[in-house]
Amino acid sequence: MSVPPKQRQVSLRGASAKEISRDALLEKVSQERELRIYNRRASAAALFVQRVWRRYNAMKKVSEQLQQEWETLAVRHNNQMTSGWISKNLLRPFLFFAARASTLHQKLQFTNVKRISTCFKILLRSINSTDAEKNFCSLAVGTHGEKSTWLYQAQKLISLCSFILAECDITCHGHENMVPLTVLAMHLSISLSDLKGWKSLKSDNIRDADIAVKRLIGFMATRKCGMYSCIRKYIMKLGSQVASGKKTVVSTDDCFVITASAVNLALRSFHSKRLDISNTDIFDANDASKQYCVFILTVPYLTQCLPSLLLPALKHESALLPCLDSLLISKDKIFDEILKLEQSENSGSCAEAIPCSGWALANIINLATEHGDDSCATGRFIQGLDCRLYVHVVNIFSENLLNWLESNVGLMRKNSDELLAIDYSSEAVDSISDNSNSMKSSYIDLLKPVYQQWHLRNLLIMVKKNIPAQVADSCATNQSIEYLGNFKLLNVIYLYYYMLRIFSFLNPFLGSLPILNILSFTPGFLVELWEILQASIFSGTGHLSHEVKFCKDGKDATVGNCNETICDTRHRRNMKDAGSKWVNVLQKIAGRSTDVNYTNSNDDPLSPDQVNEDARDLWDVEAMRRGPQER
């Protein structure tokens, strides 16, 4: 064996140093460099943590000192406080320690609740004052600096009030002290955003005050404020109360005031849109519509969570139609926001849960209709509803829900099989199955207007009116009209086609039978559906048009050289022959061969017996064009 050549040795540390190879030296140098870089990063991170901690500690000490000074100032206040004094001496230190991020991301302590209540009472007393010098809202119509200060402080107060609303839980013990604070917060939010509550306002300043309020309402509609998200959290707690049957631990009056104020704030932007101002850049109602669609319309059991006295406000056309319009125009963006909301709430991880798009579908149907307990006759759409918008939006959400159901049906079965493999007694599986069926049944109850006869009848009436695309609704934009087109029967057919599939997925007991019943027993629907089906099947089919000829009155029908005996023979058939004929017709449409030959291979003329025999296999379209109701 040949001896391998000796590797080249490098010595950089004198003769006494152990010689190593070049590759080992380079690797060692690289490791030392990485260690130095790591040490530098660790030192920088340690210094950064120390700076953050020192800053937090310093701010905490300053905040505690300001709180003590503020309490002394607030206790000794008198009735001679001016609006400037309130803005500078009362609100500036208050917003520093009450509205900073460290306070909003933790539970409000009792001491903070007491301080915030004191400040809110002072502000409400100032806003209700008729003296302009003492009214805090008079700053909104003052100098340019006063306007900017008022808007900034009002925005901070609205954010703080929204956070307080989200923290309020009327069903949990220990939150009794939060309820009076939440009532004050709702009163303050309403007062700041309602021009009619400013008692010191003069006629000369109405325009400036209107612009200031609209700027504030525009801020309330943004994600930065987070008002709609906080309203959603509060209503979700009301929904858990309805689902679990818990009783409120506070008075009914306080609960109603809080809920009514939250609904008022959610709809405030829609009412402000109706007021005319020259500067259109002040307020964009489309942002409010999108936020409302994402956070409010997706609340489970929305119409059951809220008191019945508040539902007319949600059902009003001024609130519902802009949302339907936004859903039609910006459906992709809204669905992306809804998906992000599901991921943040982890609501889509549960296999048996209904997605947010499904809850939005049920809420839109309930908000757009007014129905009673009678499932046949009573009921109507809300006044001013654009049925085109309604049907298109329902179809959009139905399609989205069906896509979710089809993609999750396999996951549901997989989870059920895993539980069966773990628990041989299958008690857990039965419990989960019962809960899932209960949720599905309650969800199907929310779709009750769809399988009521008045719903389909009213849509058919609107179809007969043939609303053109050029007729613009007062609440619909020109951009949404481009998506709508004429209102046709095909739109209604799509709606019930989607509902048939949804009910087959979610109705654990009857399946799609309620939808099939309403489609079968609504007068006139099957006739019109049959005409559309006939036109779609036989349009452009030349081979049938040459063989089958029929009169408009249905009195004369001939096939080749056949005479009127064909129609007479067909009318004398029994039900069994009719069933056989339908089998043959479907086979013809599918292009399959039948047992009966319709052509003479020898090109011989047909005899009368052959004509009568073949008449049973020929399809008189005119006789069947009105469907099974005319047979």
Side-chain angles (χ1 to χ4, degrees), residues 218-229:
F219 169 77
M220 292 163 58
T222 60
R223 276 188 172 271
K224 182 179 180 180
C225 177
M227 186 191 69
Y228 283 101
S229 176

PDB file of all heavy atoms in Angstrom, residues 218-229:
ATOM      1  N   GLY A 218     -66.043  59.299  11.705  1.00  0.00           N
ATOM      2  CA  GLY A 218     -65.157  58.626  10.761  1.00  0.00           C
ATOM      3  C   GLY A 218     -64.051  57.853  11.459  1.00  0.00           C
ATOM      4  O   GLY A 218     -63.665  56.765  11.008  1.00  0.00           O
ATOM      5  N   PHE A 219     -63.534  58.389  12.553  1.00  0.00           N
ATOM      6  CA  PHE A 219     -62.534  57.652  13.337  1.00  0.00           C
ATOM      7  C   PHE A 219     -63.153  56.418  13.994  1.00  0.00           C
ATOM      8  O   PHE A 219     -62.509  55.365  14.091  1.00  0.00           O
ATOM      9  CB  PHE A 219     -61.936  58.578  14.402  1.00  0.00           C
ATOM     10  CG  PHE A 219     -61.108  57.871  15.431  1.00  0.00           C
ATOM     11  CD1 PHE A 219     -59.825  57.445  15.142  1.00  0.00           C
ATOM     12  CD2 PHE A 219     -61.620  57.621  16.705  1.00  0.00           C
ATOM     13  CE1 PHE A 219     -59.057  56.786  16.097  1.00  0.00           C
ATOM     14  CE2 PHE A 219     -60.869  56.960  17.657  1.00  0.00           C
ATOM     15  CZ  PHE A 219     -59.579  56.547  17.352  1.00  0.00           C
ATOM     16  N   MET A 220     -64.395  56.514  14.439  1.00  0.00           N
ATOM     17  CA  MET A 220     -65.065  55.382  15.078  1.00  0.00           C
ATOM     18  C   MET A 220     -65.247  54.214  14.124  1.00  0.00           C
ATOM     19  O   MET A 220     -65.358  53.056  14.554  1.00  0.00           O
ATOM     20  CB  MET A 220     -66.424  55.835  15.617  1.00  0.00           C
ATOM     21  CG  MET A 220     -66.330  56.808  16.783  1.00  0.00           C
ATOM     22  SD  MET A 220     -67.871  57.705  17.107  1.00  0.00           S
ATOM     23  CE  MET A 220     -68.994  56.344  17.404  1.00  0.00           C
ATOM     24  N   ALA A 221     -65.287  54.479  12.828  1.00  0.00           N
ATOM     25  CA  ALA A 221     -65.492  53.421  11.843  1.00  0.00           C
ATOM     26  C   ALA A 221     -64.205  52.730  11.424  1.00  0.00           C
ATOM     27  O   ALA A 221     -64.258  51.777  10.636  1.00  0.00           O
ATOM     28  CB  ALA A 221     -66.188  53.992  10.604  1.00  0.00           C
ATOM     29  N   THR A 222     -63.054  53.154  11.937  1.00  0.00           N
ATOM     30  CA  THR A 222     -61.778  52.577  11.541  1.00  0.00           C
ATOM     31  C   THR A 222     -61.352  51.478  12.509  1.00  0.00           C
ATOM     32  O   THR A 222     -61.840  51.386  13.634  1.00  0.00           O
ATOM     33  CB  THR A 222     -60.697  53.662  11.494  1.00  0.00           C
ATOM     34  OG1 THR A 222     -60.566  54.270  12.795  1.00  0.00           O
ATOM     35  CG2 THR A 222     -61.067  54.741  10.485  1.00  0.00           C
ATOM     36  N   ARG A 223     -60.429  50.656  12.041  1.00  0.00           N
ATOM     37  CA  ARG A 223     -59.884  49.607  12.904  1.00  0.00           C
ATOM     38  C   ARG A 223     -59.024  50.174  14.023  1.00  0.00           C
ATOM     39  O   ARG A 223     -58.846  49.544  15.063  1.00  0.00           O
ATOM     40  CB  ARG A 223     -59.046  48.624  12.076  1.00  0.00           C
ATOM     41  CG  ARG A 223     -59.865  47.532  11.403  1.00  0.00           C
ATOM     42  CD  ARG A 223     -58.951  46.516  10.771  1.00  0.00           C
ATOM     43  NE  ARG A 223     -59.693  45.378  10.277  1.00  0.00           N
ATOM     44  CZ  ARG A 223     -59.971  44.301  11.000  1.00  0.00           C
ATOM     45  NH1 ARG A 223     -59.570  44.239  12.267  1.00  0.00           N
ATOM     46  NH2 ARG A 223     -60.636  43.296  10.488  1.00  0.00           N
ATOM     47  N   LYS A 224     -58.461  51.346  13.792  1.00  0.00           N
ATOM     48  CA  LYS A 224     -57.618  51.961  14.823  1.00  0.00           C
ATOM     49  C   LYS A 224     -58.417  52.221  16.086  1.00  0.00           C
ATOM     50  O   LYS A 224     -57.895  52.066  17.197  1.00  0.00           O
ATOM     51  CB  LYS A 224     -57.024  53.261  14.281  1.00  0.00           C
ATOM     52  CG  LYS A 224     -56.091  53.959  15.236  1.00  0.00           C
ATOM     53  CD  LYS A 224     -55.525  55.226  14.613  1.00  0.00           C
ATOM     54  CE  LYS A 224     -54.588  55.937  15.580  1.00  0.00           C
ATOM     55  NZ  LYS A 224     -54.035  57.187  14.983  1.00  0.00           N
ATOM     56  N   CYS A 225     -59.661  52.614  15.925  1.00  0.00           N
ATOM     57  CA  CYS A 225     -60.510  52.838  17.094  1.00  0.00           C
ATOM     58  C   CYS A 225     -60.898  51.518  17.755  1.00  0.00           C
ATOM     59  O   CYS A 225     -60.911  51.404  18.979  1.00  0.00           O
ATOM     60  CB  CYS A 225     -61.758  53.615  16.678  1.00  0.00           C
ATOM     61  SG  CYS A 225     -62.958  53.894  18.002  1.00  0.00           S
ATOM     62  N   GLY A 226     -61.238  50.516  16.944  1.00  0.00           N
ATOM     63  CA  GLY A 226     -61.623  49.216  17.489  1.00  0.00           C
ATOM     64  C   GLY A 226     -63.002  49.177  18.100  1.00  0.00           C
ATOM     65  O   GLY A 226     -63.308  48.267  18.882  1.00  0.00           O
ATOM     66  N   MET A 227     -63.859  50.135  17.750  1.00  0.00           N
ATOM     67  CA  MET A 227     -65.183  50.192  18.365  1.00  0.00           C
ATOM     68  C   MET A 227     -66.043  49.013  17.957  1.00  0.00           C
ATOM     69  O   MET A 227     -66.704  48.376  18.792  1.00  0.00           O
ATOM     70  CB  MET A 227     -65.875  51.505  17.991  1.00  0.00           C
ATOM     71  CG  MET A 227     -67.204  51.727  18.695  1.00  0.00           C
ATOM     72  SD  MET A 227     -68.136  53.110  18.018  1.00  0.00           S
ATOM     73  CE  MET A 227     -68.586  52.444  16.412  1.00  0.00           C
ATOM     74  N   TYR A 228     -66.058  48.667  16.667  1.00  0.00           N
ATOM     75  CA  TYR A 228     -66.895  47.562  16.199  1.00  0.00           C
ATOM     76  C   TYR A 228     -66.427  46.230  16.776  1.00  0.00           C
ATOM     77  O   TYR A 228     -67.232  45.349  17.068  1.00  0.00           O
ATOM     78  CB  TYR A 228     -66.902  47.521  14.672  1.00  0.00           C
ATOM     79  CG  TYR A 228     -67.794  48.563  14.045  1.00  0.00           C
ATOM     80  CD1 TYR A 228     -67.275  49.736  13.522  1.00  0.00           C
ATOM     81  CD2 TYR A 228     -69.174  48.379  13.988  1.00  0.00           C
ATOM     82  CE1 TYR A 228     -68.084  50.696  12.956  1.00  0.00           C
ATOM     83  CE2 TYR A 228     -69.996  49.330  13.420  1.00  0.00           C
ATOM     84  CZ  TYR A 228     -69.448  50.481  12.904  1.00  0.00           C
ATOM     85  OH  TYR A 228     -70.260  51.441  12.341  1.00  0.00           O
ATOM     86  N   SER A 229     -65.132  46.082  16.934  1.00  0.00           N
ATOM     87  CA  SER A 229     -64.618  44.861  17.551  1.00  0.00           C
ATOM     88  C   SER A 229     -65.065  44.749  19.005  1.00  0.00           C
ATOM     89  O   SER A 229     -65.433  43.665  19.475  1.00  0.00           O
ATOM     90  CB  SER A 229     -63.091  44.842  17.459  1.00  0.00           C
ATOM     91  OG  SER A 229     -62.551  43.722  18.123  1.00  0.00           O
TER      92      SER A 229
END
